[in-house]
Amino acid sequence: MKKNLLNSFLIIVMCFVTANVKSQSLDYVMDMVHNNPGEKPFKTKYRNPAYIKSQGFNAMVPHWYINCAITYDNVKENIVSKGSEERTWIENKAKYIQAKLDSCEQHNVAVYPFTDFLVFPKSIWKKYGGKISKKGTLHNLGGDASQAVKPNIQSKTTQKLLRAQIDGVFKRFPNIDGLTVRFGETYLHDAPFHRGGSPISRGKQGIEDHITLINILREEICVKRNKKLFYRTWDFGGFHTNPNYYLKVTNAIETHKNLVFSIKYQKGDFHRMTPFNPCIGIGKHKQIVESQSRMEAYGKGAHPYYTASGVINGWPETKYEISRHHFTGKTNSTENPRGLKDILKNNLLTGIVTWSNGGGWKGPYIKHELWADLNTYVVSQWAQNPNKSEKEIFYKFASKLGLHGYQADLFRKLNMLSIEGVRKGHCNSYAENAVWWTRDEYFSAKQNKPIIKEIIQNKLVDEVLAEKAESVFIWHQIEALSKQIKINDVATQEALEVSSTYGRIKYELIEQMWIMMLYKELDSVKNKQKILENALVKYDALWLEWKTLYNSSPLCATIYTDKYLWDKREGSIGEFVDDKIRPIVNKLK
């Protein structure tokens, strides 16, 4: 009897311990606001450390250009001349950052600034440029081309300056908790007195460059100063998405409690029709995963788009194998992870960083953070308790809006519909996808040319257009649901309804774009001109409706344009419609 009681007691204790372990928060629950390069910082509550703390985050990854706020007097006294415009800018930047740091410290929020390596003041380049720059093709660089320089990380002078930079940062800002390091894209739009770029070469040499850079950072940040180092893997086709490349780099680095690798959850950028990142959950180092709350290719939070489910559970399309942004028709192996919940067993996931704001270049510019709030909340709350399901956390968010029971179910339905409403409007399931054909506030016809050719050659026009029609049907459902849901805040209610209509107009417009892009290239099609005319009439009417919607509500996000990326006409949907479709239609008149 006593033995049975003891066994029962032990079972109860073990269940309690197991439940407690499962409900334990990941070590790092962080948020990042990444401003559009060269533009005014976003106005968002996610900049406020008091708000961040209230939401359960324990850290921020601010975009402050902290590496640009030091003078390098530890290299040579007055190398950046005192009283110069360059020095004054650096000193003012340092004062700005210090004030922000003090506020974060006051609210007990750790800070790991987003840091571009390698970037130095122009005075440093003037004196040491011949010893630290590397000949060759510049890549992954942004901003003024005159500021773009490729540093040579294998140069002893470069390494000396890097160590001085790290020393300068931590001496000037001793209360920062560590750094989040970016080595890939380098944007200098907001750093007028600095130059630099990625020190990582292409190909095999890139592996050696990574190892050299990480070992220096590890020694200076993790070992010497006992600070955290989050090393972002972000690049194109190498470290970030290639498991062999990833392991060749990370296996050469000794583990350290303060060294963590940061990685996006998708294989590539934040896109649909791409597999879960195969570099997650492998190797010997701890990882944090980046999650974008308002993805720049899919509306940037201007309309409903529920991404948190895809991040945690996996997107619907990852049930099937994906190659070149389309399905192979084979069922994905159950052993392959589709979402973050699938890699918990590997014990390498130690944190999440949500991008509540940021990604991309320009608009749409949102006026209400409803959809950013939803995605940020669900992912961050899951990170605080991975034992909870995405669905359970979703309903907790709904309750904060005053939605319970049937109303909460309607809100759930609206958001779940948006997952495929977006994918089937933006992408297709039958051919390759140009995933960047629409991003920020732009539409491109040029990027879809090879896709259109493939669809027609494989006789998939009806299937693709049926999918666009299905997307429009979904968005009409979303719009209707938005008018049935009653939120306890007037502004949020208006944002819900207006953004849902915004999405419906956008995807109706996209359907007409695809009708015109496809039928323009079809030969010997009955009623071709009439079909193009009807599509053009709807196209023009939808642009007018979109503009009217924007003018009807102060909470409506800015709308798209018919231009290509960075306001270019060449390659845009506007150029295609005006130069290719209108002449055909005008022949009918």
Side-chain angles (χ1 to χ4, degrees), residues 3 14 21 23 28 35 63 124 135 152 183 204 212 251 272 289 291 341 344 367 385 391 417 420 425 499 507 539 580:
K3 186 176 181 179
M14 288 302 296
V21 169
S23 64
Y28 305 100
N35 303 311
H63 190 211
I124 293 287
K135 294 181 180 180
N152 181 6
F183 66 84
K204 292 181 180 179
T212 300
N251 284 346
R272 300 294 295 275
V289 173
S291 168
K341 66 178 180 60
L344 286 172
K367 310 294 180 58
N385 188 349
K391 186 175 182 180
L417 282 169
E420 287 294 74
S499 66
Y507 286 98
Y539 174 88
K580 303 296 183 182

Side-chain angles (χ1 to χ4, degrees), residues 32-88:
M32 179 177 73
V33 174
H34 189 290
N35 303 311
N36 284 349
E39 296 186 0
K40 290 181 179 180
F42 290 125
K43 291 182 178 179
T44 171
K45 55 185 173 289
Y46 291 94
R47 292 188 180 283
N48 184 348
Y51 179 76
I52 288 295
K53 190 69 176 179
S54 74
Q55 298 302 297
F57 291 97
N58 56 28
M60 296 171 68
V61 183
H63 190 211
W64 290 339
Y65 292 92
I66 198 168
N67 52 297
C68 296
I70 55 173
T71 60
Y72 293 87
D73 286 337
N74 57 349
V75 174
K76 183 180 180 181
E77 184 70 26
N78 205 33
I79 191 169
V80 179
S81 300
K82 292 178 181 178
S84 67
E85 191 178 3
E86 182 181 34
R87 179 107 177 191
T88 300

Side-chain angles (χ1 to χ4, degrees), residues 314-416:
W315 297 105
E317 63 267 28
T318 58
K319 180 179 178 182
Y320 305 96
E321 289 186 5
I322 302 169
S323 174
R324 291 171 57 249
H325 302 295
H326 65 80
F327 298 140
T328 64
K330 300 176 183 178
T331 302
N332 188 12
S333 169
T334 55
E335 297 177 359
N336 293 334
R338 295 176 53 206
L340 293 184
K341 66 178 180 60
D342 299 328
I343 53 97
L344 286 172
K345 61 181 178 294
N346 296 344
N347 294 319
L348 292 177
L349 181 65
T350 191
I352 296 289
V353 54
T354 53
W355 298 26
S356 61
N357 290 267
W361 290 90
K362 297 186 73 175
Y365 301 96
I366 61 173
K367 310 294 180 58
H368 195 285
E369 293 188 294
L370 172 60
W371 306 118
D373 288 344
L374 170 62
N375 290 316
T376 303
Y377 180 86
V378 174
V379 173
S380 64
Q381 289 292 315
W382 180 84
Q384 292 170 52
N385 188 349
N387 191 45
K388 288 188 176 180
S389 69
E390 165 273 322
K391 186 175 182 180
E392 181 181 359
I393 299 168
F394 177 95
Y395 275 101
K396 186 175 179 181
F397 180 88
S399 71
K400 291 178 177 293
L401 299 178
L403 301 175
H404 304 280
Y406 180 63
Q407 283 283 301
D409 285 348
L410 291 180
F411 189 64
R412 175 75 175 177
K413 183 177 181 180
L414 181 152
N415 280 282
M416 297 308 289

Side-chain angles (χ1 to χ4, degrees), residues 46 129 218 230 257 338 457 480:
Y46 291 94
R218 180 186 179 280
F230 298 96
K257 64 177 183 178
R338 295 176 53 206
Q457 283 182 341

Side-chain angles (χ1 to χ4, degrees), residues 429-487:
S429 304
Y430 302 97
E432 187 177 354
N433 283 278
V435 289
W436 285 122
W437 82 272
T438 171
R439 60 164 296 172
D440 301 320
E441 55 197 20
Y442 306 113
F443 295 107
S444 167
K446 181 180 179 180
Q447 286 203 16
N448 278 321
K449 280 187 176 181
I451 315 302
I452 297 297
K453 184 178 180 180
E454 180 185 348
I455 291 168
I456 292 173
Q457 283 182 341
N458 293 326
K459 296 180 171 51
L460 294 167
V461 173
D462 289 344
E463 287 87 341
V464 170
L465 290 183
E467 202 165 44
K468 302 305 171 202
E470 182 189 358
S471 171
V472 169
F473 176 75
I474 290 171
W475 279 98
H476 275 278
Q477 287 182 278
I478 289 172
E479 185 178 31
L481 284 166
S482 74
K483 300 180 187 310
Q484 300 175 57
I485 298 166
K486 301 304 174 187
I487 294 175

Side-chain angles (χ1 to χ4, degrees), residues 130-300:
K131 295 181 179 180
I132 64 177
S133 61
K134 184 174 184 177
K135 294 181 180 180
T137 304
L138 295 172
H139 61 283
N140 293 348
L141 297 170
D144 185 348
S146 66
Q147 293 175 266
V149 185
K150 189 169 187 62
N152 181 6
I153 192 58
Q154 303 302 337
S155 160
K156 297 300 181 184
T157 305
T158 304
Q159 294 174 16
K160 178 183 175 181
L161 289 169
L162 173 58
R163 292 179 190 274
Q165 183 178 69
I166 295 167
D167 180 63
V169 166
F170 284 101
K171 281 183 176 175
R172 179 60 183 84
F173 308 105
N175 52 339
I176 64 169
D177 302 276
L179 295 174
T180 300
V181 174
R182 176 168 66 174
F183 66 84
E185 297 166 296
T186 304
Y187 300 120
L188 300 172
H189 302 67
D190 302 291
F193 297 98
H194 289 74
R195 303 182 70 191
S198 171
I200 308 301
S201 305
R202 294 184 184 275
K204 292 181 180 179
Q205 181 57 45
I207 294 173
E208 294 304 316
D209 289 344
H210 274 299
I211 292 169
T212 300
L213 177 59
I214 296 169
N215 274 326
I216 293 172
L217 297 174
R218 180 186 179 280
E219 179 186 347
E220 294 291 334
I221 299 172
C222 305
V223 179
K224 284 186 181 181
R225 294 171 176 84
N226 194 28
K227 301 285 188 175
K228 306 295 182 184
L229 168 62
F230 298 96
Y231 192 87
R232 298 187 73 233
T233 62
W234 175 240
D235 68 1
F236 298 91
F239 194 18
H240 186 64
T241 59
N242 185 326
N244 290 331
Y245 191 115
Y246 178 88
L247 292 174
K248 283 180 181 178
V249 173
T250 58
N251 284 346
I253 308 297
E254 187 180 349
T255 60
H256 193 282
K257 64 177 183 178
N258 292 331
L259 173 60
V260 180
F261 288 90
S262 182
I263 190 165
K264 295 180 181 180
Y265 68 90
Q266 292 293 116
K267 185 180 179 181
D269 217 334
F270 296 113
H271 286 303
R272 300 294 295 275
M273 300 301 294
T274 55
F276 189 73
N277 198 323
C279 293
I280 296 177
I282 65 173
K284 60 184 181 180
H285 293 272
K286 292 291 186 179
Q287 298 175 329
I288 59 170
V289 173
E290 303 172 30
S291 168
Q292 193 177 36
S293 296
R294 46 191 201 98
M295 297 159 72
E296 70 258 36
Y298 308 99
K300 260 183 173 176

